[in-house]
Amino acid sequence: MLVKTKAFVLSALKYQEKSLIVKCFTYSDGLKSYFVPNAYSGKKSNQKIAYFQPLTLLEIEAVHKNKGTLEHFREIKLAAAYQTIPMDIVKSTIVIFLSEILHHSIREEAKNTSLFDLIESALLWLDAHDEIANFHLILLLEVTKYLGFYPESSLSTDPFFELTEGIFVPIQGVTCLNEYETMLWRKLMEQKIENPGKVFTSPERAILLKILMDFYTIHLEGFKKPKSLEVLREVFA
């Protein structure tokens, strides 16, 4: 079946000497993997490879056989050309980190247009703004809404957040955040991507990032913490 759709690049793995296997999150079909022959050959090889950088937003035309095998592109072009992300070390580090998270989090080969729309609007916002220190934290928490484990309402007055059940509780158990961590977590739940502000200090962001990684690990079987996690920590240290 010939499909025209937007797609985010989640990963690109070199295959043999000249080819790529590209994993995408598509608007039309959710997760899809594509075989790109001769990506590293020819005069336009650099141009080809540039399409497959982390979370590049593409407009693709592809043949989807839907047989569980690698699909093939017919045509590829940029759906949006990022203006600042490729040149900004902080933004590009965030994008690499997020692409790894999404690569290990999105499992279903089924469309999830709401999640796609969230990622698209968030990345376009990132590309256009400079107050971005809390961006990745807010987005990671927002993504859990579409993966099925968003916490219960922050309006609860209980002083501890229990990670396994995703609820606030009155008594601190083994898998609970302490009161200070719960306060930060509740504050994070109140933030919006489009208005992040200077809410958290660098040490507070480090605490929240660890909590989010633990939260994802608990709720997503086989979740792997990104290799770029330490680089991200250094950037925001």
Side-chain angles (χ1 to χ4, degrees), residues 97 101 104-105 107 140 144 147 149 163-164 175 185 208-226 229 233:
F97 170 73
I101 291 283
H104 293 305
S105 301
R107 310 280 176 80
L140 284 179
T144 66
L147 298 179
F149 57 99
L163 290 167
T164 304
T175 55
W185 184 251
L208 285 167
L209 184 58
K210 181 184 183 304
I211 294 170
L212 281 161
M213 291 299 93
D214 290 342
F215 196 49
Y216 270 69
T217 301
I218 288 169
H219 290 275
L220 291 174
E221 185 178 353
F223 176 78
K224 297 178 181 179
K225 292 182 181 179
L229 180 58
R233 283 173 172 155

Side-chain angles (χ1 to χ4, degrees), residues 147-159:
L147 298 179
F149 57 99
Y150 188 75
E152 76 159 4
S153 172
S154 62
L155 297 177
S156 168
T157 58
D158 288 327

Side-chain angles (χ1 to χ4, degrees), residues 93-180:
T93 300
I94 288 173
V95 166
I96 291 169
F97 170 73
L98 290 173
S99 70
E100 284 194 77
I101 291 283
L102 294 170
H103 178 265
H104 293 305
S105 301
I106 302 173
R107 310 280 176 80
E108 296 181 12
E109 290 195 15
K111 68 163 62 177
N112 190 336
T113 56
S114 296
L115 177 57
F116 191 100
D117 288 339
L118 170 69
I119 297 168
E120 180 178 10
S121 62
L123 287 171
L124 293 176
W125 184 95
L126 176 67
D127 192 50
H129 292 82
D130 297 320
E131 289 288 342
I132 60 170
N134 302 317
F135 170 84
H136 57 297
L137 303 174
I138 300 169
L139 181 57
L140 284 179
L141 187 56
E142 282 290 305
V143 166
T144 66
K145 290 180 180 178
Y146 305 93
L147 298 179
F149 57 99
Y150 188 75
E152 76 159 4
S153 172
S154 62
L155 297 177
S156 168
T157 58
D158 288 327
F160 305 105
F161 182 74
E162 204 283 318
L163 290 167
T164 304
E165 297 297 326
I167 60 175
F168 293 91
V169 295
I171 300 172
Q172 186 176 13
V174 175
T175 55
C176 287
L177 305 180
N178 62 36
E179 283 192 76
Y180 176 66

Side-chain angles (χ1 to χ4, degrees), residues 45-110:
S45 62
N46 289 337
Q47 182 178 341
K48 289 181 185 177
I49 296 166
Y51 284 130
F52 305 120
Q53 299 306 303
L55 293 185
T56 300
L57 179 57
L58 302 174
E59 187 80 47
I60 66 171
E61 184 175 301
V63 177
H64 287 177
K65 294 183 179 179
N66 298 317
K67 294 182 179 179
T69 56
L70 295 174
E71 312 288 16
H72 291 79
F73 295 116
R74 281 278 188 89
E75 186 177 334
I76 311 169
K77 61 182 180 181
L78 292 176
Y82 299 135
Q83 301 301 307
T84 65
I85 290 173
M87 280 76 70
D88 187 309
I89 185 62
V90 177
K91 291 184 179 182
S92 59
T93 300
I94 288 173
V95 166
I96 291 169
F97 170 73
L98 290 173
S99 70
E100 284 194 77
I101 291 283
L102 294 170
H103 178 265
H104 293 305
S105 301
I106 302 173
R107 310 280 176 80
E108 296 181 12
E109 290 195 15

